[in-house]
Amino acid sequence: MSDTHRIFPQSDFQVQELPTDGKLFFPDRKQAEMEFKNGRKELAEFQRRLYAEGKQKLLIVFQAMDAGGKDGTIRKVFSGVNPQGVVVNSFKVPSKEELAHDFLWRIHKKAPSKGMIGVFNRSHYEDVLVVRVHDIVPESVWRPRYEQINQFEKLLHDTGTRVLKFFLHISKDEQKERFQDRLDVPEKNWKFSVDDLRKRTYWDDYMSAYQEMMEQCSTEYAPWYAIPANQKWYRNWAIMNVILSTLREMDPQYPPPEDDIEGIVVE
Amino acid sequence: MSDTHRIFPQSDFQVQELPTDGKLFFPDRKQAEMEFKNGRKELAEFQRRLYAEGKQKLLIVFQAMDAGGKDGTIRKVFSGVNPQGVVVNSFKVPSKEELAHDFLWRIHKKAPSKGMIGVFNRSHYEDVLVVRVHDIVPESVWRPRYEQINQFEKLLHDTGTRVLKFFLHISKDEQKERFQDRLDVPEKNWKFSVDDLRKRTYWDDYMSAYQEMMEQCSTEYAPWYAIPANQKWYRNWAIMNVILSTLREMDPQYPPPEDDIEGIVVE
């Protein structure tokens, strides 16, 4: 069930045909919300074990079109987890110093350490998305990045990091509604920028970039999941399932004490 | 009410006489737990505004004896808040690189940025606590640190960071019980180290160090609170009250949109 939306290597798909509507997969919203709520408790317990064990690492990447729900997903899925064991990094337009290095330099610095869950709100994939669509660098620069990313993620995987990548897939109509909502609700105004409308006119180019990103970089060791994200409750439920099923495989355990504690009595 | 445990500058106190028992201040556990639960919701909403506003910063420092409850406090108070807006830093024994710089270098790097809540699990205060008690550096080095810390925290304050510092104050008997619990409960064994028992024999020296730390560094702009911490429910409630009352003063607001959005219709 957790593999429903996984993009397997060499699989044949068209991103424009991938579902954005979660109701097709799980019609019962109430049930999904209840399972999600229980999932949060399970996630909190897994995080405690992962942190206590202090060996394995988990990296979770979120990418989406504007208003695709990255912030909301992170808030919903990870509120309830001890923030001591979760580090969220939002990657914005790179600074001068970051641009003076290779595109993975700032990313590598933020890879999670032992026992931690790292969450990326945007990521190195921006360097084959926005950068590609708006010709910020020539193709001779961005095309080799797919392979560079795969090698980088293989390094992370081979050195103890599980990598999960979620593309939150909304329809163009859904984006329209969410933008309009940001315009209409005063408390959401601050999230809106006119530049979002400009980017919206490049929708098809972005879809091509997402297509190739997932074709090239959904590997055995760092899979992409294309999550139908028009319904937030389904999106949250589906993502929680993938994360929990991964953590069940990782199976973190409370470690034995550092010292021999047999027979110690505290005075 | 949120000032009950505040250490005011020049106030006369003996740390050994400060209460460790919260029941003296709030006898009704059920009521405290209910208020705490509501407080978490209020905190989550304040965090959203603080993040959206993107101007002010809040730094919260926790210090305590071993088993004093730093980890548990952070988990209880901040679970429920969007981890995208909260960064927890645990300061352990400094690395070689950190020791090659001044003691505030690694701390300054982790100061919260605009819109963020920064939480320090241990802090620069270790450099006038463990370092002082175990003679890791001579007095001629650690004594000037009180003033250096005050100047550093004044910089943070004057540049837009509210600073709150909590000493979780447990009794020596309570520490004994908690250590014994770590020895007796298999899932807690990993938290125990024999070195904790060695440090316990320096209890009085630590109390002298906490005493002077609060005398020297509880300022108008970065106050210390000595929280009775034998009862976890009281500790959590009292800390939540101080944080919420500070956030009420900070009064973060959703900002206006960046652009003129009057009359925009999304196509």
Side-chain angles (χ1 to χ4, degrees):
Chain A
M1 183 217 286
S2 65
D3 274 348
T4 310
H5 305 298
R6 180 167 173 172
I7 307 290
F8 285 95
Q10 273 91 47
S11 76
D12 198 20
F13 69 97
Q14 286 299 316
V15 70
Q16 299 268 30
E17 289 162 16
L18 289 175
T20 53
D21 187 347
K23 286 199 302 288
L24 301 167
F25 299 91
F26 200 113
D28 187 345
R29 176 174 177 163
K30 281 260 173 308
Q31 176 72 16
E33 285 175 342
M34 205 193 65
E35 290 183 27
F36 178 74
K37 221 173 151 184
N38 292 332
R40 294 226 290 200
K41 283 180 203 141
E42 204 182 334
L43 180 59
E45 175 57 25
F46 269 127
Q47 182 277 324
R48 290 182 79 160
R49 284 173 185 267
L50 194 74
Y51 187 85
E53 185 188 64
K55 281 187 186 166
Q56 307 179 79
K57 315 143 197 171
L58 176 59
L59 173 61
I60 302 172
V61 173
F62 291 103
Q63 289 287 161
M65 294 295 285
D66 289 321
K70 298 182 297 297
D71 291 282
T73 301
I74 292 169
R75 180 164 52 84
K76 278 293 188 180
V77 173
F78 297 101
S79 290
V81 175
N82 185 351
Q84 182 149 315
V86 180
V87 179
V88 182
N89 284 288
S90 300
F91 292 98
K92 317 247 158 151
V93 176
S95 70
K96 254 185 160 177
E97 188 191 14
E98 288 167 348
L99 284 172
H101 295 82
D102 71 82
F103 76 108
L104 293 169
W105 179 78
R106 65 172 184 161
I107 307 294
H108 208 157
K109 282 207 288 185
K110 300 295 188 181
S113 56
K114 287 180 178 178
M116 299 294 287
I117 300 174
V119 178
F120 285 180
N121 184 344
R122 305 184 189 271
S123 67
H124 42 302
Y125 285 98
E126 291 295 329
D127 293 293
V128 290
L129 291 168
V130 63
V131 163
R132 167 182 169 157
V133 170
H134 300 290
D135 289 321
I136 295 172
V137 301
E139 181 166 357
S140 61
V141 174
W142 60 252
R143 183 153 295 283
R145 286 180 176 169
Y146 296 119
E147 184 55 25
Q148 290 158 351
I149 287 172
N150 287 343
Q151 293 304 326
F152 169 66
E153 291 178 356
K154 187 156 195 320
L155 168 73
L156 294 184
H157 176 270
D158 290 352
T159 50
T161 304
R162 288 290 293 255
V163 182
L164 297 173
K165 301 176 298 197
F166 295 102
F167 167 46
L168 312 181
H169 191 20
I170 58 169
S171 64
K172 201 174 174 187
D173 279 348
E174 179 67 20
Q175 188 191 52
K176 180 180 170 174
E177 278 180 40
R178 293 187 186 185
F179 279 172
Q180 199 59 57
D181 190 50
R182 290 179 178 186
L183 287 163
D184 297 343
V185 180
E187 289 197 346
K188 294 184 180 172
N189 282 177
W190 67 278
K191 291 189 184 177
F192 186 85
S193 103
V194 169
D195 192 54
D196 295 347
L197 290 181
R198 188 183 63 85
K199 285 206 246 140
R200 178 171 164 81
T201 65
Y202 290 86
W203 185 275
D204 292 344
D205 294 333
Y206 270 103
M207 287 305 119
S208 304
Y210 277 108
Q211 171 87 30
E212 192 158 5
M213 170 192 89
M214 291 192 285
E215 278 170 357
Q216 300 279 347
C217 299
S218 199
T219 55
E220 281 298 335
Y221 50 85
W224 271 108
Y225 295 82
I227 304 290
N230 279 3
Q231 289 86 19
K232 294 170 186 175
W233 58 267
Y234 179 79
R235 172 199 75 193
N236 298 340
W237 176 88
I239 290 170
M240 183 64 89
N241 274 338
V242 175
I243 295 174
L244 289 178
S245 125
T246 303
L247 281 163
R248 271 180 221 116
E249 280 175 37
M250 294 171 76
D251 194 24
Q253 299 293 331
Y254 287 108
E258 273 176 52
D259 308 299
D260 180 10
I261 59 170
E262 191 73 29
I264 288 181
V265 176
V266 184
E267 306 290 344
Chain B
M1 185 214 284
S2 66
D3 274 348
T4 310
H5 305 298
R6 180 167 175 172
I7 307 289
F8 285 94
Q10 274 90 49
S11 76
D12 196 22
F13 69 96
Q14 284 301 315
V15 71
Q16 299 268 32
E17 289 163 16
L18 289 175
T20 54
D21 187 348
K23 286 199 301 290
L24 300 168
F25 298 92
F26 200 113
D28 187 344
R29 176 174 177 163
K30 281 258 172 311
Q31 175 72 16
E33 285 174 342
M34 205 194 66
E35 289 183 25
F36 178 74
K37 223 173 151 185
N38 292 333
R40 295 226 288 201
K41 284 181 202 140
E42 203 181 335
L43 180 60
E45 175 57 25
F46 269 127
Q47 182 278 324
R48 293 182 77 161
R49 285 173 184 265
L50 194 74
Y51 187 84
E53 183 188 67
K55 282 188 186 166
Q56 307 180 77
K57 316 143 196 169
L58 176 59
L59 173 61
I60 302 172
V61 173
F62 291 103
Q63 289 288 161
M65 293 298 284
D66 288 322
K70 296 183 297 296
D71 291 282
T73 301
I74 291 169
R75 179 164 52 82
K76 280 292 187 181
V77 172
F78 297 101
S79 291
V81 175
N82 185 351
Q84 181 149 316
V86 181
V87 179
V88 182
N89 284 289
S90 300
F91 292 98
K92 318 245 157 152
V93 177
S95 71
K96 253 186 161 177
E97 189 191 14
E98 289 167 348
L99 283 172
H101 295 83
D102 71 82
F103 76 108
L104 292 169
W105 179 78
R106 66 174 184 158
I107 306 295
H108 208 158
K109 284 209 285 186
K110 301 296 187 182
S113 57
K114 287 178 179 180
M116 300 293 287
I117 300 174
V119 178
F120 285 180
N121 185 343
R122 304 183 190 270
S123 67
H124 42 304
Y125 285 99
E126 292 295 329
D127 293 294
V128 290
L129 291 168
V130 64
V131 163
R132 166 181 170 158
V133 169
H134 300 290
D135 288 320
I136 296 171
V137 301
E139 181 167 354
S140 61
V141 173
W142 61 252
R143 183 153 295 283
R145 286 180 176 169
Y146 296 118
E147 185 54 24
Q148 289 159 352
I149 288 173
N150 287 343
Q151 292 304 326
F152 169 65
E153 292 178 356
K154 186 155 195 323
L155 169 72
L156 295 184
H157 176 270
D158 290 350
T159 52
T161 304
R162 287 291 294 252
V163 183
L164 296 174
K165 303 177 296 196
F166 295 102
F167 167 47
L168 312 180
H169 191 23
I170 59 169
S171 65
K172 200 174 175 186
D173 280 348
E174 179 67 20
Q175 189 192 50
K176 179 179 171 175
E177 278 180 38
R178 293 186 185 186
F179 279 171
Q180 199 58 56
D181 189 51
R182 289 179 177 186
L183 287 163
D184 296 343
V185 181
E187 291 196 346
K188 293 184 182 173
N189 283 175
W190 66 279
K191 291 189 187 178
F192 186 86
S193 106
V194 169
D195 192 53
D196 294 347
L197 290 182
R198 188 182 63 85
K199 283 207 243 140
R200 178 171 164 79
T201 64
Y202 290 85
W203 186 274
D204 291 345
D205 294 334
Y206 270 102
M207 288 306 119
S208 302
Y210 277 109
Q211 171 88 28
E212 191 157 6
M213 170 192 88
M214 291 192 284
E215 278 170 357
Q216 300 279 346
C217 300
S218 198
T219 55
E220 281 298 332
Y221 50 85
W224 272 107
Y225 295 82
I227 303 288
N230 279 4
Q231 288 88 18
K232 294 170 186 175
W233 59 266
Y234 179 78
R235 170 199 77 194
N236 298 340
W237 176 89
I239 290 169
M240 184 65 90
N241 273 339
V242 175
I243 295 174
L244 289 178
S245 122
T246 302
L247 281 162
R248 272 180 221 117
E249 280 175 36
M250 293 170 77
D251 193 25
Q253 298 294 330
Y254 288 109
E258 274 177 51
D259 309 299
D260 181 10
I261 59 171
E262 190 73 28
I264 288 180
V265 176
V266 184
E267 304 292 342

